Amino acid sequence: MFSPFITQATSVRAIMLRVMLALIPAVAVYVWYYGPAILVSLTLASLTALATEAVMLKLRKRPLAPFLGDNSALLTAWLLALSIPPLAPWWLVVVGTAFAISVAKHLYGGLGSNPFNPAMIGYAILIISFPVQMTHWVAPHGLGSLELSLAQQLQYIFGGQLPGGATLDAVTMATPLDTLKTQLHLGREAAEVMGMPIYGHLGGHGSEMVALAILLGGAYLLLTRIITWHLPAAFLATLFATAGIFYLVDPAHYAPPLFHWFSGAAMLGAFFILTDPVTSPTTIKGKFIFAAGAGFLTYIIRVFGGFPDGVAFATLL
Amino acid sequence: MRTLYHFHGGVHPPTNKAQSVRTPIAQAGIPSKLVVPLHQHVGNVAKPAVQVGERVLKGQLFGMPEGSVSSAVHAPTSGTVEAIDMQQVAHPSGLPDLCVTLIPDGKDEWIARRGVDYRSKDAAELRQMLRLAGVVGLGGAVFPSDIKLRAGKHKMTTLVINGAECEPYITCDDMLMRERADEIVAGAEMMRTMLGAEEVLIGIEDNKPEAIAAMQAAVDASGLTRMEVVAVPTIYPGGGAKQLIRVLTGIEVPAGLRSTDLGVQCFNVATAWSAHRAIAHGEPLISRIVTVTGNVERPQNFEVLIGTPLNELLPLAGPRPDTNAHIMGGPMMGVVLPSDKVAVTKATNCIIEGSPALFPPPPAPLPCIRCTRCAEACPADLQPQELYWFAKSKNFGKTQEYHLFDCIECGACSYVCPSSIPLVQYFRFAKSEIWANEREKDAADQARQRHEFRQLRIERDKQEKAEKLAQKEKAALAAKAAPVATPATAPADAPAAAATAPAPAAKPAADDATQALINAAIARAREQAVVVKPKNVENLTPQQQAEIAEIEARRAKVRELSHPEAGQSEE
């Protein structure tokens, strides 16, 4: 026995659990707007993550119990599941999660030693390898031409069959960010595009509510001191500022900054992805630089890059 | 309202102090035997000043301070010295150290004590008195106080008296302040005059309102204007010297500098009290207040004679049966003692009886997730996770770059680590490895220096010898009537000597200088003859043997010619 003999620390297990708790409001909103498919993804991802982690630990000859119990694999699974389309085929979820845990986490040394966020690596691999499946996002309630029940969603995820022989286009539509990009390319004005039914008050119709729910979760994390304010603040501020500059210069062709805040994975990135302790800087100055860089890059990739959302790549870079 | 400053980090462990301040300080009394270590302070061991079998009085000198950094040790009560030998001492290593074992006679008879007014003595005299009284830092560091009371080159502005007592469970300073505030104040004022400081700030954490009130009353009653009691926020480790100095004065003492270089010195309240008793009452340091708490029925503070074995002190507090450890110090920085047979020393501020419920064993450490909670908690503004990384990979150069030696080992980082990594132990490991390397390097440097000097010395001796011989030769030849160049009995391969052999013996010296040179050369050759062995003297062919015989014959002839009187004997 050696000093200190007392400890106040919240264990790693408890911290990860709290973060997952903070994601619950977002999941709830997700289900409300997009149906229960996301729950399927979450379950699939969780199971794959734990299984992959167990296999890797065995291969690396490490004890299973402490590491499986630290909930870090589960959290990676949840973050990845929330970043990919809910109606994604089951193998997409499985491949992405398995890759994230085995390659991005364990091949680099396991918990604490990975230089890149495993969830984001998983996402990056998927979007590069399977761009079609990754860009088919479910339409929110009321906007799609076909609504699916849970059973039907399950049938699609596992069987690839849609009811009545419908094609995927009936169920999915482009995301708000994607729509904006394409429409702008077609020469329409930003304000006009934003009036389309896909857009709500702040961002996309359904996704803005999810983003708000994530913001709520982020606030919970801040209050319980799981994360500090430096990373989210720097990221959001830079994103806002960059978007703001472009918007002020040419409001016809660029979306307002708040739109960027509440669409895509900006909120998720700010509070849950960037703040991953293993992959983010430890000094305060470092945090500011990292987050500001990510904010700037997110905007650039969104507007000028080939992908609809730049958060994942911005974080990795 | 005084402005207070803040130090970075810090944590708030539950204080657990209320249970041990319900009753006043109790007297622990005289145990059946006392085991007094002679090394209870930083610096050199005290030299024993008594013998086995000697009857001693209370306060009599047991150990004389040795060297500049040392302090004295005294008999805690009257009795007979039973032994002076190695006994296990209160250190986690369990190693023994030199101790004086005293059997009390129950009379508790003092030596002749004489208190003096400190104002009648100068600072140097007072320091010597404190050194001989064994006064050392009672906050736990046990550094000889007389050394700390030397006024440095810098003008001293502030004397800080440390009543913070930030660690949980420990309440000995709290009780001392409540009960003996006036003596603490007197000691503090004496220290102020010795240092020439302008003001005294007594820092007390705000979770001790009674102590603050008692000290305030004492300061008011004393009429001293340059002394102030300051309540500081309760945060661990606010009682660290550098931290308290920063909170009270805003001065940050950087690494490598002493606080006196910046005009500040810091002493514990108990040290101030002890210094007062030593000067004003002539009482050496033979007892201290010890908090006994934790898994006991009656947690409280005791005034304990130094050398009291724990197994005679602890029963006074009623330890519960499921006690599984004796911790000396607090839960953040304390150490586990090897047994309850060890004795109380000047450093024992608190004994916590541990149990599995009170201090459960920590979970197995997980890898570091770089959450930086440790860096947020560090009061020395360090990056513990980086230090851990480097210490683990034994990259000691990097640990020093990240200021490893500024770590005060307070344990705040380990306290907050979600992966339960014992960070302080890694830092201690790194520090001791670095020290061990330094010692090895020093030893190697010394060995090299000694070797080099030895080589030098040998050379020098050779030279001196050669010169001496030269002088001798010169003197010997000068004494003779006809200076003659005596051929040396040189071996076959000394060409210089051989060259002179065939030549006619008498060589009248042109002048003394040349002669001296020649003599010196001969002397050198003689010396070399001792060192240089003739080669190829084994297995000589008959031809070689004949040659040698011829040369020898010629030599003999020459010798005969140059020393006709000696020639007969050599023939």
Side-chain angles (χ1 to χ4, degrees), chain B residues 48-62:
Chain B
V50 291
Q51 287 166 344
V52 178
E54 196 177 324
R55 178 157 190 278
V56 295
L57 295 173
K58 182 163 176 151
Q60 183 166 338
L61 195 70
F62 262 175

Side-chain angles (χ1 to χ4, degrees), chain A residues 3-5 7-10 277 282, chain B residues 331-332 370 372 385 415 417-418 425:
Chain A
S3 60
F5 303 99
T7 180
Q8 161 242 42
T10 4
T282 51
Chain B
M332 297 295 288
R370 304 180 67 74
T372 67
Q385 84 279 6
Y415 181 72
C417 179
Q425 317 311 326

Side-chain angles (χ1 to χ4, degrees), chain B residues 51-318:
Chain B
Q51 287 166 344
V52 178
E54 196 177 324
R55 178 157 190 278
V56 295
L57 295 173
K58 182 163 176 151
Q60 183 166 338
L61 195 70
F62 262 175
M64 195 64 187
E66 188 150 16
S68 57
V69 184
S70 190
S71 200
V73 179
H74 303 80
T77 187
S78 58
T80 316
V81 175
E82 183 186 68
I84 304 177
D85 58 358
M86 304 292 277
Q87 297 284 336
Q88 197 180 47
V89 290
H91 189 270
S93 65
L95 293 172
D97 205 351
L98 193 62
C99 296
V100 179
T101 306
L102 175 70
I103 305 295
D105 59 9
K107 296 191 198 141
D108 211 29
E109 220 181 299
W110 268 100
I111 49 168
R113 292 166 285 170
R114 199 173 65 91
V116 296
D117 186 345
Y118 70 85
R119 285 165 292 217
S120 64
K121 305 263 178 197
D122 67 34
E125 278 183 282
L126 288 171
R127 282 200 299 272
Q128 183 64 6
M129 289 170 75
L130 288 173
R131 176 177 150 103
L132 287 171
V135 176
V136 297
L138 291 174
V142 289
F143 193 83
S145 306
D146 53 291
I147 299 175
K148 280 177 71 172
L149 283 165
R150 281 190 206 142
K153 294 168 279 222
H154 203 276
K155 171 85 185 79
M156 295 295 293
T157 40
T158 311
L159 171 65
V160 169
I161 301 293
N162 192 341
E165 202 163 52
C166 54
E167 203 160 348
Y169 284 96
I170 308 181
T171 51
C172 52
D173 290 345
D174 186 1
M175 295 310 292
L176 189 75
M177 286 190 282
R178 291 191 207 189
E179 298 188 12
R180 305 184 194 180
D182 45 354
E183 293 186 297
I184 299 173
V185 167
E189 176 60 19
M190 175 177 78
M191 286 175 160
R192 186 193 68 76
T193 49
M194 285 172 78
L195 286 169
E198 289 165 13
E199 61 169 359
V200 181
L201 297 176
I202 304 173
I204 307 174
E205 279 194 340
D206 56 19
N207 61 359
K208 295 184 250 297
E210 301 90 344
I212 295 173
M215 290 297 287
Q216 188 65 59
V219 172
D220 294 337
S222 70
L224 294 163
T225 50
R226 285 191 278 186
M227 196 176 289
E228 197 184 330
V229 174
V230 185
V232 295
T234 299
I235 180 169
Y236 178 85
K242 286 193 179 169
Q243 281 67 38
L244 189 61
I245 289 173
R246 186 166 173 182
V247 170
L248 289 174
T249 65
I251 295 175
E252 279 180 63
V253 182
L257 272 187
R258 292 210 176 86
S259 61
T260 42
D261 296 333
L262 298 161
V264 191
Q265 186 55 289
C266 180
F267 285 99
N268 179 275
V269 284
T271 316
W273 175 84
S274 177
H276 166 78
R277 295 301 298 183
I279 303 292
H281 298 268
E283 282 176 15
L285 179 52
I286 53 169
S287 68
R288 68 157 295 148
I289 315 292
V290 180
T291 310
V292 181
T293 180
N295 196 31
V296 296
E297 297 290 338
R298 300 173 294 276
Q300 59 188 286
N301 283 280
F302 294 98
E303 184 158 25
V304 185
L305 293 177
I306 304 290
T308 303
L310 280 188
N311 54 14
E312 300 200 33
L313 170 65
L314 296 173
L316 297 173

Side-chain angles (χ1 to χ4, degrees), chain B residues 472-493:
Chain B
K472 253 177 149 175
E473 281 298 318
K474 188 173 150 193
L477 283 158
K480 286 201 177 34
V484 164
T486 17
T489 46
D493 61 346

Side-chain angles (χ1 to χ4, degrees), chain A residues 1-12 15-16 66-67 70 111-113 225-226 228 277-278 281-283 287, chain B residues 327 331-334 336 359 366-373 376 383 385 411 414-419 422 425 428:
Chain A
M1 260 171 79
F2 29 70
S3 60
F5 303 99
I6 50 177
T7 180
Q8 161 242 42
T10 4
S11 61
V12 175
I15 293 177
M16 300 286 160
F67 289 106
D70 70 16
L111 179 67
S113 303
R225 304 276 218 54
I226 301 284
T228 55
V278 181
T282 51
T283 62
K287 284 182 174 154
Chain B
I327 296 170
M332 297 295 288
M333 288 181 73
V336 178
F359 302 132
L366 285 172
C368 166
I369 59 170
R370 304 180 67 74
C371 66
T372 67
R373 277 167 174 73
E376 282 165 30
Q383 293 273 305
Q385 84 279 6
S414 310
Y415 181 72
V416 296
C417 179
S419 297
Q425 317 311 326
R428 285 195 185 136

